[in-house]
Amino acid sequence: DAGITQSPRYKITETGRQVTLMCHQTWSHSYMFWYRQDLGHGLRLIYYSAAADITDKGEVPDGYVVSRSKTENFPLTLESATRSQTSVYFCASMERGGSGAWNEQFFGPGTRLTVL
Amino acid sequence: GDSVTQMEGPVTLSEEAFLTINCTYTATGYPSLFWYVQYPGEGLQLLLKATKADDKGSNKGFEATYRKETTSFHLEKGSVQVSDSAVYFCALSRGAGSYQLTFGKGTKLSVIP
């Protein structure tokens, strides 16, 4: 199926465990993003990637690790989960635009993560 | 830095009522402005956009006009339906080729029959 998918959709884990959230897009978009959504905060950018093997920090990167070995995949890892990382995580992708072009970000359905 | 402020929710309206969700922004330069909608249990979808001052974005009966003089991008709809119940996010990007979106906190709309 074309589009952007995330897995798992729901995850419950315990404090201190490692968790990896997966994101896959079929459009070959250059940019990919990870956001977290929390009540009272809207969406906040965790990490983004401009291309394979190029990643950079967003607004709230602490406690998270990303990689992008292939254009279509952008996994997010919580190396040692904490309760404060309980959230809904959204992946998004976007094609690189030319000068003067706006760029729509396309979002996945989200992963609801609970850290006990 | 860039920021987006939108009205606090939740907002509850009766079907066919008029909707306004206020959004103001702070940004340098000439940002592009967006409204995204999130239906229950789903990811965000782009609802409408405006890329320069005085542009009006419209989609599905929703409209918003980019007002640079008041740094605003208020969302309006003349007659809401139950199916419009969702969370609405105002967002901006810095402009041409910019990758990053800055979101408001979201406004939850509930429309009752």
Side-chain angles (χ1 to χ4, degrees), chain B residues 46-87:
Chain B
L46 181 66
L47 180 60
L48 54 83
K49 64 167 176 65
T51 57
K52 60 183 187 295
D54 299 323
D55 265 3
K56 177 184 284 188
S58 61
N59 186 24
K60 299 181 180 180
F62 291 89
E63 293 183 339
T65 301
Y66 188 165
R67 301 288 189 198
K68 190 164 179 63
E69 63 275 15
T70 55
T71 62
S72 65
F73 193 55
H74 304 323
L75 182 68
E76 297 182 336
K77 186 175 186 183
S79 177
V80 294
Q81 305 300 311
V82 172
S83 58
D84 294 326
S85 298
V87 181

Short mmCIF file of all heavy atoms in Angstrom, two decimals, chain B residues 46-87:
data_model
loop_
_atom_site.label_atom_id
_atom_site.label_comp_id
_atom_site.label_asym_id
_atom_site.label_seq_id
_atom_site.Cartn_x
_atom_site.Cartn_y
_atom_site.Cartn_z
N LEU B 46 -3.41 17.55 6.06
CA LEU B 46 -3.45 18.96 5.69
C LEU B 46 -4.87 19.34 5.29
O LEU B 46 -5.48 18.70 4.44
CB LEU B 46 -2.50 19.22 4.53
CG LEU B 46 -2.43 20.66 4.05
CD1 LEU B 46 -1.83 21.56 5.13
CD2 LEU B 46 -1.63 20.77 2.75
N LEU B 47 -5.39 20.40 5.90
CA LEU B 47 -6.72 20.88 5.57
C LEU B 47 -6.66 22.01 4.54
O LEU B 47 -7.37 21.99 3.54
CB LEU B 47 -7.43 21.37 6.83
CG LEU B 47 -8.84 21.92 6.68
CD1 LEU B 47 -9.77 20.86 6.12
CD2 LEU B 47 -9.35 22.44 8.01
N LEU B 48 -5.81 22.99 4.79
CA LEU B 48 -5.63 24.08 3.85
C LEU B 48 -4.32 24.80 4.14
O LEU B 48 -3.72 24.61 5.20
CB LEU B 48 -6.82 25.05 3.88
CG LEU B 48 -7.23 25.64 5.23
CD1 LEU B 48 -6.40 26.84 5.58
CD2 LEU B 48 -8.71 26.03 5.21
N LYS B 49 -3.93 25.63 3.19
CA LYS B 49 -2.64 26.32 3.32
C LYS B 49 -2.72 27.70 2.68
O LYS B 49 -3.59 27.97 1.86
CB LYS B 49 -1.56 25.51 2.62
CG LYS B 49 -1.81 25.40 1.12
CD LYS B 49 -0.63 24.90 0.37
CE LYS B 49 -0.96 24.70 -1.11
NZ LYS B 49 -1.29 25.98 -1.79
N ALA B 50 -1.76 28.55 3.07
CA ALA B 50 -1.58 29.84 2.40
C ALA B 50 -0.10 30.16 2.45
O ALA B 50 0.54 29.99 3.50
CB ALA B 50 -2.39 30.94 3.08
N THR B 51 0.45 30.58 1.36
CA THR B 51 1.90 30.75 1.29
C THR B 51 2.35 32.20 1.26
O THR B 51 3.55 32.48 1.39
CB THR B 51 2.48 30.02 0.08
OG1 THR B 51 1.82 30.53 -1.10
CG2 THR B 51 2.24 28.52 0.17
N LYS B 52 1.42 33.15 1.09
CA LYS B 52 1.83 34.56 1.12
C LYS B 52 0.68 35.41 1.63
O LYS B 52 -0.49 35.00 1.65
CB LYS B 52 2.29 35.03 -0.25
CG LYS B 52 1.27 34.94 -1.34
CD LYS B 52 1.90 35.39 -2.66
CE LYS B 52 0.85 35.47 -3.76
NZ LYS B 52 0.30 34.16 -4.09
N ALA B 53 1.02 36.63 2.02
CA ALA B 53 0.04 37.54 2.61
C ALA B 53 -1.17 37.72 1.69
O ALA B 53 -1.03 37.82 0.47
CB ALA B 53 0.70 38.88 2.89
N ASP B 54 -2.35 37.74 2.32
CA ASP B 54 -3.65 37.93 1.68
C ASP B 54 -4.14 36.71 0.91
O ASP B 54 -5.25 36.72 0.38
CB ASP B 54 -3.65 39.15 0.76
CG ASP B 54 -3.35 40.43 1.51
OD1 ASP B 54 -3.80 40.55 2.66
OD2 ASP B 54 -2.65 41.29 0.96
N ASP B 55 -3.34 35.65 0.88
CA ASP B 55 -3.82 34.39 0.29
C ASP B 55 -4.94 33.84 1.14
O ASP B 55 -4.92 33.93 2.37
CB ASP B 55 -2.69 33.35 0.28
CG ASP B 55 -1.94 33.32 -1.03
OD1 ASP B 55 -2.26 34.14 -1.92
OD2 ASP B 55 -1.05 32.46 -1.17
N LYS B 56 -5.93 33.24 0.50
CA LYS B 56 -6.99 32.54 1.22
C LYS B 56 -6.90 31.07 0.87
O LYS B 56 -6.96 30.70 -0.29
CB LYS B 56 -8.37 33.08 0.84
CG LYS B 56 -9.51 32.32 1.51
CD LYS B 56 -10.89 32.80 1.05
CE LYS B 56 -11.25 34.10 1.67
NZ LYS B 56 -12.67 34.49 1.39
N GLY B 57 -6.74 30.24 1.91
CA GLY B 57 -6.79 28.80 1.71
C GLY B 57 -8.20 28.33 1.96
O GLY B 57 -8.90 28.86 2.81
N SER B 58 -8.62 27.31 1.19
CA SER B 58 -9.97 26.80 1.40
C SER B 58 -10.03 25.33 1.03
O SER B 58 -9.31 24.86 0.13
CB SER B 58 -10.99 27.58 0.57
OG SER B 58 -10.70 27.46 -0.80
N ASN B 59 -10.89 24.61 1.75
CA ASN B 59 -11.05 23.18 1.50
C ASN B 59 -12.21 22.68 2.35
O ASN B 59 -12.32 23.06 3.53
CB ASN B 59 -9.77 22.41 1.85
CG ASN B 59 -9.84 20.95 1.48
OD1 ASN B 59 -10.58 20.55 0.59
ND2 ASN B 59 -9.04 20.13 2.14
N LYS B 60 -13.06 21.87 1.79
CA LYS B 60 -14.17 21.23 2.53
C LYS B 60 -15.06 22.24 3.25
O LYS B 60 -15.61 21.94 4.32
CB LYS B 60 -13.64 20.21 3.53
CG LYS B 60 -12.85 19.08 2.91
CD LYS B 60 -12.37 18.10 3.96
CE LYS B 60 -11.59 16.96 3.35
NZ LYS B 60 -11.12 15.99 4.38
N GLY B 61 -15.19 23.45 2.73
CA GLY B 61 -16.01 24.47 3.36
C GLY B 61 -15.28 25.31 4.39
O GLY B 61 -15.81 26.30 4.89
N PHE B 62 -14.06 24.93 4.72
CA PHE B 62 -13.22 25.71 5.64
C PHE B 62 -12.43 26.76 4.86
O PHE B 62 -12.03 26.52 3.72
CB PHE B 62 -12.24 24.80 6.37
CG PHE B 62 -12.87 23.86 7.36
CD1 PHE B 62 -13.32 22.61 6.95
CD2 PHE B 62 -13.03 24.22 8.69
CE1 PHE B 62 -13.90 21.73 7.86
CE2 PHE B 62 -13.60 23.35 9.61
CZ PHE B 62 -14.04 22.11 9.18
N GLU B 63 -12.20 27.90 5.52
CA GLU B 63 -11.40 28.95 4.91
C GLU B 63 -10.50 29.58 5.96
O GLU B 63 -10.84 29.61 7.15
CB GLU B 63 -12.30 30.06 4.34
CG GLU B 63 -13.14 29.66 3.18
CD GLU B 63 -13.94 30.85 2.65
OE1 GLU B 63 -14.13 31.83 3.41
OE2 GLU B 63 -14.37 30.81 1.49
N ALA B 64 -9.38 30.12 5.49
CA ALA B 64 -8.51 30.91 6.36
C ALA B 64 -7.73 31.86 5.49
O ALA B 64 -7.27 31.48 4.41
CB ALA B 64 -7.55 30.01 7.15
N THR B 65 -7.57 33.09 5.95
CA THR B 65 -6.88 34.12 5.19
C THR B 65 -5.61 34.53 5.92
O THR B 65 -5.63 34.81 7.12
CB THR B 65 -7.77 35.35 4.97
OG1 THR B 65 -8.95 34.94 4.26
CG2 THR B 65 -7.05 36.40 4.14
N TYR B 66 -4.52 34.58 5.20
CA TYR B 66 -3.20 34.95 5.72
C TYR B 66 -3.17 36.47 5.87
O TYR B 66 -3.09 37.21 4.90
CB TYR B 66 -2.16 34.47 4.71
CG TYR B 66 -0.72 34.58 5.09
CD1 TYR B 66 0.24 33.88 4.35
CD2 TYR B 66 -0.24 35.37 6.12
CE1 TYR B 66 1.60 33.94 4.64
CE2 TYR B 66 1.10 35.46 6.42
CZ TYR B 66 2.01 34.74 5.67
OH TYR B 66 3.36 34.82 5.94
N ARG B 67 -3.20 36.93 7.13
CA ARG B 67 -3.19 38.37 7.42
C ARG B 67 -1.86 38.73 8.04
O ARG B 67 -1.62 38.49 9.23
CB ARG B 67 -4.32 38.72 8.40
CG ARG B 67 -5.71 38.37 7.92
CD ARG B 67 -6.18 39.28 6.84
NE ARG B 67 -7.60 39.06 6.53
CZ ARG B 67 -8.17 39.46 5.41
NH1 ARG B 67 -7.46 40.08 4.47
NH2 ARG B 67 -9.45 39.24 5.22
N LYS B 68 -1.00 39.33 7.24
CA LYS B 68 0.33 39.66 7.75
C LYS B 68 0.28 40.83 8.74
O LYS B 68 1.03 40.87 9.71
CB LYS B 68 1.28 39.97 6.59
CG LYS B 68 2.73 40.09 7.02
CD LYS B 68 3.68 40.02 5.86
CE LYS B 68 5.11 40.16 6.33
NZ LYS B 68 5.49 39.05 7.23
N GLU B 69 -0.63 41.75 8.52
CA GLU B 69 -0.68 42.93 9.38
C GLU B 69 -1.08 42.59 10.80
O GLU B 69 -0.68 43.25 11.75
CB GLU B 69 -1.62 43.99 8.79
CG GLU B 69 -3.08 43.57 8.68
CD GLU B 69 -3.42 42.79 7.43
OE1 GLU B 69 -2.48 42.30 6.74
OE2 GLU B 69 -4.62 42.65 7.15
N THR B 70 -1.89 41.52 10.95
CA THR B 70 -2.29 41.09 12.28
C THR B 70 -1.64 39.76 12.66
O THR B 70 -1.95 39.20 13.72
CB THR B 70 -3.82 40.92 12.36
OG1 THR B 70 -4.25 40.03 11.32
CG2 THR B 70 -4.52 42.26 12.22
N THR B 71 -0.75 39.27 11.84
CA THR B 71 -0.08 37.96 12.02
C THR B 71 -1.08 36.90 12.44
O THR B 71 -0.91 36.19 13.45
CB THR B 71 1.09 38.03 13.02
OG1 THR B 71 0.62 38.42 14.31
CG2 THR B 71 2.15 39.00 12.55
N SER B 72 -2.12 36.75 11.63
CA SER B 72 -3.19 35.81 11.99
C SER B 72 -3.56 34.92 10.81
O SER B 72 -3.29 35.25 9.64
CB SER B 72 -4.43 36.58 12.47
OG SER B 72 -4.97 37.35 11.41
N PHE B 73 -4.18 33.81 11.14
CA PHE B 73 -4.63 32.84 10.13
C PHE B 73 -5.81 32.08 10.72
O PHE B 73 -5.75 30.89 10.97
CB PHE B 73 -3.47 31.91 9.77
CG PHE B 73 -3.68 31.06 8.55
CD1 PHE B 73 -4.01 31.63 7.32
CD2 PHE B 73 -3.52 29.67 8.60
CE1 PHE B 73 -4.18 30.85 6.19
CE2 PHE B 73 -3.68 28.88 7.47
CZ PHE B 73 -4.01 29.48 6.26
N HIS B 74 -6.90 32.80 10.94
CA HIS B 74 -8.05 32.22 11.63
C HIS B 74 -8.82 31.28 10.72
O HIS B 74 -9.07 31.58 9.55
CB HIS B 74 -9.00 33.33 12.09
CG HIS B 74 -8.35 34.36 12.96
ND1 HIS B 74 -7.40 34.06 13.90
CD2 HIS B 74 -8.52 35.72 13.00
CE1 HIS B 74 -7.01 35.16 14.51
NE2 HIS B 74 -7.67 36.19 13.98
N LEU B 75 -9.23 30.15 11.28
CA LEU B 75 -9.99 29.14 10.54
C LEU B 75 -11.49 29.40 10.71
O LEU B 75 -11.95 29.61 11.84
CB LEU B 75 -9.64 27.74 11.04
CG LEU B 75 -10.31 26.56 10.34
CD1 LEU B 75 -9.80 26.44 8.91
CD2 LEU B 75 -10.09 25.27 11.11
N GLU B 76 -12.24 29.35 9.61
CA GLU B 76 -13.68 29.59 9.66
C GLU B 76 -14.42 28.56 8.82
O GLU B 76 -13.90 28.08 7.82
CB GLU B 76 -14.02 30.99 9.16
CG GLU B 76 -13.45 32.11 9.99
CD GLU B 76 -13.85 33.49 9.47
OE1 GLU B 76 -14.16 33.59 8.27
OE2 GLU B 76 -13.85 34.43 10.27
N LYS B 77 -15.63 28.28 9.26
CA LYS B 77 -16.56 27.48 8.45
C LYS B 77 -17.97 27.95 8.76
O LYS B 77 -18.32 28.14 9.93
CB LYS B 77 -16.42 25.99 8.74
CG LYS B 77 -17.27 25.14 7.79
CD LYS B 77 -17.07 23.65 7.97
CE LYS B 77 -17.85 22.89 6.88
NZ LYS B 77 -17.75 21.42 7.03
N GLY B 78 -18.74 28.13 7.73
CA GLY B 78 -20.05 28.73 7.90
C GLY B 78 -21.08 27.83 8.56
O GLY B 78 -21.98 28.31 9.26
N SER B 79 -20.96 26.53 8.36
CA SER B 79 -21.97 25.61 8.87
C SER B 79 -21.29 24.26 9.15
O SER B 79 -21.01 23.50 8.23
CB SER B 79 -23.09 25.44 7.83
OG SER B 79 -24.04 24.49 8.28
N VAL B 80 -21.03 24.02 10.44
CA VAL B 80 -20.29 22.80 10.77
C VAL B 80 -21.21 21.58 10.80
O VAL B 80 -22.43 21.70 11.03
CB VAL B 80 -19.56 22.94 12.12
CG1 VAL B 80 -18.46 23.98 12.03
CG2 VAL B 80 -20.54 23.26 13.25
N GLN B 81 -20.61 20.43 10.57
CA GLN B 81 -21.31 19.16 10.62
C GLN B 81 -20.70 18.28 11.70
O GLN B 81 -19.55 18.50 12.13
CB GLN B 81 -21.21 18.47 9.26
CG GLN B 81 -21.70 19.30 8.09
CD GLN B 81 -23.16 19.70 8.24
OE1 GLN B 81 -24.01 18.87 8.53
NE2 GLN B 81 -23.45 20.99 8.05
N VAL B 82 -21.45 17.27 12.08
CA VAL B 82 -20.94 16.33 13.09
C VAL B 82 -19.61 15.73 12.65
O VAL B 82 -18.69 15.53 13.45
CB VAL B 82 -21.97 15.23 13.39
CG1 VAL B 82 -21.37 14.16 14.29
CG2 VAL B 82 -23.22 15.82 14.03
N SER B 83 -19.47 15.49 11.35
CA SER B 83 -18.25 14.89 10.81
C SER B 83 -17.03 15.80 10.89
O SER B 83 -15.90 15.36 10.63
CB SER B 83 -18.48 14.48 9.36
OG SER B 83 -18.87 15.61 8.59
N ASP B 84 -17.24 17.07 11.25
CA ASP B 84 -16.11 18.00 11.43
C ASP B 84 -15.48 17.88 12.81
O ASP B 84 -14.47 18.54 13.09
CB ASP B 84 -16.57 19.44 11.22
CG ASP B 84 -17.00 19.71 9.79
OD1 ASP B 84 -16.41 19.12 8.87
OD2 ASP B 84 -17.95 20.51 9.61
N SER B 85 -16.05 17.08 13.67
CA SER B 85 -15.50 16.89 15.01
C SER B 85 -14.10 16.31 14.90
O SER B 85 -13.89 15.24 14.30
CB SER B 85 -16.39 15.94 15.83
OG SER B 85 -17.68 16.50 16.01
N ALA B 86 -13.13 17.03 15.43
CA ALA B 86 -11.72 16.66 15.27
C ALA B 86 -10.88 17.65 16.07
O ALA B 86 -11.40 18.57 16.70
CB ALA B 86 -11.32 16.72 13.79
N VAL B 87 -9.57 17.43 16.03
CA VAL B 87 -8.64 18.41 16.60
C VAL B 87 -7.99 19.16 15.45
O VAL B 87 -7.52 18.54 14.48
CB VAL B 87 -7.56 17.74 17.47
CG1 VAL B 87 -6.63 18.79 18.06
CG2 VAL B 87 -8.21 16.93 18.58
#
